[in-house]
């Protein structure tokens, strides 16, 4: 039976008993919430603080609650904030590369001030290797790590210039002149092509040439052996230099500015002035019984003063960087200009870079983009030789000559030297390059231990070479040429696509890292050129330097394409940091070879044993001791894109038929070898790493052996074979290299006065094991390359003093009583008759020296006290024999060139000299194939010395700056050597005549003033 409720009553209202129960429940819940909130508040107590080092606040320092994953980074002002994870006592861990890790107890709502101390050990430093990273202490291959700060402190156009003396196993020779490229070899010559190492910048295979800004560098690693470089396969046969550019860090925007001005001076010869020159020149003519020149004694030109000037470099960089927890950015710009130390030379470069990275969950995407424009005003002729060849009696200007410049004449100054002032004015050579390069990468963290990455790189350049030749002459008996213009435009592009899958996981004491990948690279280059003569002058005094002017047109061009496809894999195994094993295999296929030889497989394996981790190891004074060994192979394809294909010339024509019709033809002009195959480099490396005195003292030693077989070389064939288009490539020679590398470093950073030193030593011996096709030796200039000996040994006649009397000449006989040099006169050179036949000829030549250094050393010293710091770098090369080309001109007397100031040739009144009598018009005392011009090429050079001052932090705060530094430095200021040329550290492009100084551009002395500041 339904009961009717009173009107207006809510049927949902419960009885009072139920309300009381609910009220109690609510109170309990409220109390629980309050307790939870209190605990939560306590758990969320925050710690803030400031992290700095001796020079000011540090950005990017990792701050982590020990035993948890809770972490953060200091911002651009060195500040941080982190929430405690509980009420129990927490420990904060502060870590940053290059500094000692610190642990400090933390209490809620506490403000910490932490001073980071520089680390005396870099064993935990993360090293970038191919397609990944490793801790330095886990390396099993030969890898040298160069600090970016050591590179950037030097004033250099390219990265390679700055590496000299900073790492073992590398040989660097700088070009010297504005915009020139340095030559670099890693562990010796492995072929006859002189190819530079492979550069990898932020994962993009490229070059670090003159259009790359060294100020953007974050880190540099040099991979020297097969086990380290094999992941890059065929392109790594000459070593790999991996460069990582700067990235942003979490925190507010940081702005950094650097400016440096450098003054350059060029070394000079000590040359005779007019009065001394005239005396010596007349002596040479009188001794030869030749009519003397009518020298203009009223002229006294110092050609070095006319040609050289004080060079100046201005180098500016500006960068913006920062980011949040999941993203970062780095933006930089740079301007570099170099007014050369030789007239009409210079170099300008503009750089821009943008590096960004963003992470969202398991997905990461980033890019590295660089744009540069470089322009060089290139040197015409060789002024280093011209200032020696020209006579001081020749005026700089002579209105009687075409163009108005002086260069001598047949009666008063018969010389074939080039007037460097004239050629600098009458020839304009510029080389401009616009380059865009970058890569876009994306990562997918499929599992905590499994990651996929795709890297797409693209690089393109627009090259423009222009040459304008104005009417006028710069040397004697020069044919007249009208105004000529030549333009050469090239375009290159590189596409790189790489896919990698990596697995990285720890299984207790077992650590495993496996990488598998695929790479495709396509390189294209196209060039077109045109030349016109009789270019018209414009009213402003210049010329219409465009190809629609003039006549007699000539054009040409070509296109190249190379494709490389690769598959590679690597595994790394680490057991308890004691036993390390690394294996790599890479398969490369290249379009440079024929269809049967395109692919090559190149494996390597390496291992290390950390003895100091063993239980039986009880030497407490040794902090780390590791042995390493590896073996591997690399390949190389150092030939042109189409050298395996025969060359056809389509220029020939033929007249046929009763109508005498001209028909086109074609002929094969260059023989080809379709069986060309990979050069193969096999390498072994044995190393030891050790650390002592709480890691203050570290030692690393390496012994390596490499062998290159099937070396690609151009084999000389007779023209009668129909080969008139150049010698074809063959796989012929076998080369070997072996050497020892040693590095010792000590760093003391505990006290206010900090100091450190690093010394390195490299020995290297290259040997020709086989020249192929039955050849035992080959001659180039004054060198011989033969089986069992290094490349390019000096092969010359030996001198044995001077004849002092006619009796000495008559008494110089062989065993059979034959006078060996019957036409010689007192004061002439006596040559050794090494084969005893009574004559001096090529059969008497012997190997008398090596152009290769026995060893090279580097010494790097650093010290700091409070706000001052000091750095000094020395480099030395010892044991080489070099050919002084310029001295073979100044000391010859056989033609009209200038002479060394103070030279004392033999005369009857001056017999106490090693300089033979002056004799014009004959090579009797000046022939170039003798040991007279060979000198000791050893040297020690102060490569860099600098002092810097960090402005105190208090002063910085007043003006709103984060930091500021003022520096003064010098380069190449002191050279200790017996070599009498301009620079014992010269370079040239000849593989077989590496020790020949042909008048190479010397290294310049430099003094720099720099300013760096950030806010």
């Amino acid at each position: 039976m339904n009961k009717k409720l009173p009107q207006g009553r809510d049927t949902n209202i419960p009885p009072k008993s139920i309300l009381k129960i609910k009220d109690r429940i609510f109170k309990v819940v409220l109390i629980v919430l309050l307790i939870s909130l209190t605990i939560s508040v306590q758990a969320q107590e925050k710690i803030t603080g400031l992290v700095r080092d001796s020079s000011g606040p540090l950005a990017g320092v990792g701050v982590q609650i020990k035993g948890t994953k809770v972490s953060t980074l200091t911002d651009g002002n060195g500040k941080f904030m982190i929430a405690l994870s509980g009420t129990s006592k927490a420990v904060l861990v502060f870590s940053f590369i290059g500094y000692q890790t610190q642990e400090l107890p933390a209490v809620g709502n506490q403000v910490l001030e932490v001073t980071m101390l520089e680390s005396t050990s870099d064993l935990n430093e993360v090293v970038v290797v191919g397609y990944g990273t490793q801790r330095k202490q886990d390396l099993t291959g030969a890898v040298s790590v160069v600090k970016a700060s050591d590179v950037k402190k030097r004033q250099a156009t390219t990265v390679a210039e700055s590496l000299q003396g900073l790492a073992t196993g590398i040989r660097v020779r700088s070009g010297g002149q504005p915009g020139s490229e340095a030559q670099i070899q890693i562990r010796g010559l492995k072929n006859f092509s002189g190819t530079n190492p492979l550069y990898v910048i932020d994962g993009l295979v490229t070059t670090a040439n003159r259009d790359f800004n060294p100020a953007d560098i974050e880190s540099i690693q040099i991979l020297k052996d097969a086990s380290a470089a094999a992941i890059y396969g065929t392109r790594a046969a000459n070593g790999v230099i991996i460069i990582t550019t700067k990235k942003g860090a979490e925190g507010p925007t940081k702005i950094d500015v650097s400016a440096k001005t450098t003054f350059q001076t060029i070394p000079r010869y000590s040359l005779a002035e007019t009065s001394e020159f005239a005396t010596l020149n007349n002596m040479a003519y009188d001794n030869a019984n030749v009519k003397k020149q009518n020298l203009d004694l009223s002229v006294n030109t110092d050609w070095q003063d006319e040609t050289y000037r004080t060079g100046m470099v201005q180098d500016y960089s500006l960068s913006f960087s920062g980011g949040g927890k999941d993203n970062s950015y780095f933006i930089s710009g740079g301007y570099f200009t170099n007014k050369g130390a030789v007239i009409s030379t210079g170099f300008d470069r503009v750089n821009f870079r943008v590096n960004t990275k963003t992470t969202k969950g398991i997905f990461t995407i980033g890019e590295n983009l660089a744009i540069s424009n470089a322009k060089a005003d290139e040197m015409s002729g060789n002024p280093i030789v011209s200032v020696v060849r020209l006579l001081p009696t020749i005026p700089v200007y002579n209105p009687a000559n075409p163009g108005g410049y002086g260069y001598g004449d047949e009666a008063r100054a018969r010389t074939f030297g080039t007037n460097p002032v004239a050629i600098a004015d009458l020839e304009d050579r510029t080389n401009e390059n616009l380059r865009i390069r970058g890569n876009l990468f994306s990562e997918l963290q499929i599992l905590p231990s499994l990651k996929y990455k795709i890297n797409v790189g693209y690089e393109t350049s627009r090259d423009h070479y222009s040459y304008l030749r104005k009417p006028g002459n710069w040397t004697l008996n020069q044919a007249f040429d009208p105004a000529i213009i030549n333009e050469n435009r090239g375009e290159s592009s590189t596409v790189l696509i790489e896919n990698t899958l990596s697995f990285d996981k720890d299984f207790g004491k077992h650590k495993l890292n496996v990488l598998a990948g695929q790479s495709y690279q396509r390189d294209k280059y196209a060039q077109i050129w045109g030349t016109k003569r009789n270019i018209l002058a414009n009213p402003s005094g210049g010329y219409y330097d465009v190809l629609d002017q003039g006549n007699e047109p000539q054009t040409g061009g070509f296109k190249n394409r190379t494709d490389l496809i690769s598959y590679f894999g690597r595994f790394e195994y680490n057991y308890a940091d004691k036993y390390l094993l690394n294996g790599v295999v890479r398969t490369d296929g290249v379009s440079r070879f024929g269809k049967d030889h395109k692919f090559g497989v190149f494996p390597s394996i390496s291992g290390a044993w950390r003895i100091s981790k063993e239980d039986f190891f009880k030497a407490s004074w040794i902090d780390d001791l590791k042995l390493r060994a590896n073996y591997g192979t690399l390949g190389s394809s150092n030939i042109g894109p189409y050298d395996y294909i025969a060359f056809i010339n389509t220029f020939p024509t033929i007249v046929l038929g009763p109508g005498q019709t001209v028909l086109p033809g074609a002929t094969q002009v260059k023989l080809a070898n379709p069986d060309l195959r990979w050069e193969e480099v096999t390498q072994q490396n044995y190393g030891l790493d050790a650390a002592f005195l709480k890691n203050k003292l570290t030692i690393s030693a390496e012994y390596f052996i490499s062998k290159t077989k099937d070396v690609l070389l151009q084999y000389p064939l007779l023209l009668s074979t129909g080969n008139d288009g150049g010698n074809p490539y063959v796989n012929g020679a076998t080369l070997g290299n072996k050497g020892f590398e040693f590095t010792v470093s000590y760093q003391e950073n505990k006290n206010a006065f900090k100091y450190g030193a690093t010394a390195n030593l490299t020995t290297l011996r290259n040997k020709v094991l086989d020249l192929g096709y039955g050849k035992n030796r080959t001659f180039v200039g004054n060198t011989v390359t033969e089986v069992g000996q290094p490349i390019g040994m000096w092969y010359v006649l030996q001198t044995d003093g001077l004849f002092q009397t006619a009796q000495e000449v008559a008494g110089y006989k062989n065993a059979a009583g034959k006078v060996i040099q019957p036409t010689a006169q007192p004061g002439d050179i006596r040559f050794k008759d090494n084969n005893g036949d009574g004559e001096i000829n090529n059969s008497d030549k012997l190997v008398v020296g090596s152009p290769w250094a026995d060893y090279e050393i580097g010494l790097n010293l650093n010290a700091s006290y409070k706000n001052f710091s000091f750095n000094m770098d020395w480099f030395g090369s010892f044991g080489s024999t070099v050919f002084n080309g310029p001295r073979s001109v100044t000391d010859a007397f056989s033609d009209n060139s200038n002479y060394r100031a103070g030279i004392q040739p033999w005369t009857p009144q001056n017999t106490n000299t090693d300089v033979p009598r002056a004799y014009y018009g004959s090579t009797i005392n000046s022939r170039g194939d003798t040991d007279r011009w060979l000198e000791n090429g050893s040297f020690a050079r102060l490569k860099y010395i600098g002092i810097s001052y960090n402005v105190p932090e208090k002063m910085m705060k007043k003006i709103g700056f984060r930091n500021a530094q003022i520096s003064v430095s010098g380069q190449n200021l002191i050279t200790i050597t017996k070599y009498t040329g301009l620079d014992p550290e010269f370079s040239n492009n000849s593989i077989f005549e590496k020790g020949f100084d042909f008048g190479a551009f010397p290294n310049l002395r430099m003094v720099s003033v720099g300013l760096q500041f950030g806010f």
Side-chain angles (χ1 to χ4, degrees), residues 498-501 515-519 566-570:
E498 295 178 324
N499 294 276
T500 57
L501 188 65
L515 173 78
Q518 168 271 331
S519 175
S566 310
Y567 305 93
F568 53 88
R570 177 180 61 207

Side-chain angles (χ1 to χ4, degrees), residues 292-323:
K292 291 181 287 189
Q293 297 183 100
N294 184 22
L295 298 172
D296 187 350
L297 301 182
S298 66
V299 178
N300 186 21
T301 302
D302 187 326
W303 286 103
Q304 296 183 102
D305 280 349
E306 300 294 336
T307 306
Y308 303 147
R309 63 188 180 184
T310 299
M312 186 170 71
V313 176
Q314 297 181 71
D315 192 357
Y316 305 101
S317 293
L318 171 67
S319 69
F320 302 81
S321 63

Side-chain angles (χ1 to χ4, degrees), residues 537-555:
N538 63 38
S540 64
Y543 287 83
Y544 292 105
D545 54 351
V546 289
L547 285 174
D548 66 344
Q549 299 292 319
N551 55 24
E552 302 182 37
Q554 293 181 331
T555 61

Side-chain angles (χ1 to χ4, degrees), residues 201-382:
I201 303 177
D202 293 327
L204 180 65
V205 176
T206 179
T207 59
N209 50 19
R210 64 187 187 181
D211 57 18
F212 177 78
N213 186 4
D216 290 338
I217 295 175
E218 179 69 27
S219 66
I220 299 177
Q221 287 81 31
I222 304 173
L223 314 185
K224 297 183 292 188
D225 66 356
S227 70
I231 196 69
Y232 289 107
T234 60
R235 296 166 295 181
N238 297 291
V240 181
I241 298 177
I242 298 180
I243 297 174
T244 303
T245 59
K246 294 178 180 178
K247 306 294 188 291
E250 183 179 354
T253 298
K254 293 170 53 181
I255 301 175
D256 290 285
V257 180
S258 68
K260 183 185 290 184
T261 297
T262 301
F263 299 95
Q264 302 173 316
T265 58
I266 189 170
R268 296 191 176 198
Y269 300 106
S270 179
L271 299 174
E273 296 187 6
T274 291
S275 59
E276 183 181 13
F277 169 80
T279 300
L280 294 168
N281 191 252
N282 291 336
M283 181 191 300
Y285 274 72
D286 289 342
N287 287 339
N289 197 26
V290 176
K291 181 181 178 181
K292 291 181 287 189
Q293 297 183 100
N294 184 22
L295 298 172
D296 187 350
L297 301 182
S298 66
V299 178
N300 186 21
T301 302
D302 187 326
W303 286 103
Q304 296 183 102
D305 280 349
E306 300 294 336
T307 306
Y308 303 147
R309 63 188 180 184
T310 299
M312 186 170 71
V313 176
Q314 297 181 71
D315 192 357
Y316 305 101
S317 293
L318 171 67
S319 69
F320 302 81
S321 63
K325 185 178 180 180
D326 297 322
N327 57 76
S328 64
Y329 61 89
F330 174 82
I331 303 170
S332 72
Y335 175 66
F336 180 99
T337 181
N338 182 190
K339 183 188 78 170
V342 172
I343 56 174
S344 192
T345 61
F347 176 71
D348 292 277
R349 178 181 68 212
V350 178
N351 292 88
F352 296 98
R353 173 173 291 277
V354 179
N355 295 343
T356 63
K357 182 178 179 181
T358 299
T359 299
K360 183 69 173 178
I362 64 172
F363 182 72
T364 299
I365 189 169
E367 55 77 32
N368 304 282
L369 176 65
I371 303 173
S372 63
N373 191 82
K375 183 177 182 180
D377 184 359
E378 296 188 338
M379 189 171 67
S380 294
N382 187 344

Side-chain angles (χ1 to χ4, degrees), residues 269 882-889 933-935 979-981 995-997:
Y269 300 106
V882 297
F883 190 100
N884 191 336
R887 189 167 74 86
S888 72
V889 176
W933 316 117
L934 296 179
E935 298 185 21
Y979 181 63
T980 62
F996 178 39
D997 181 359

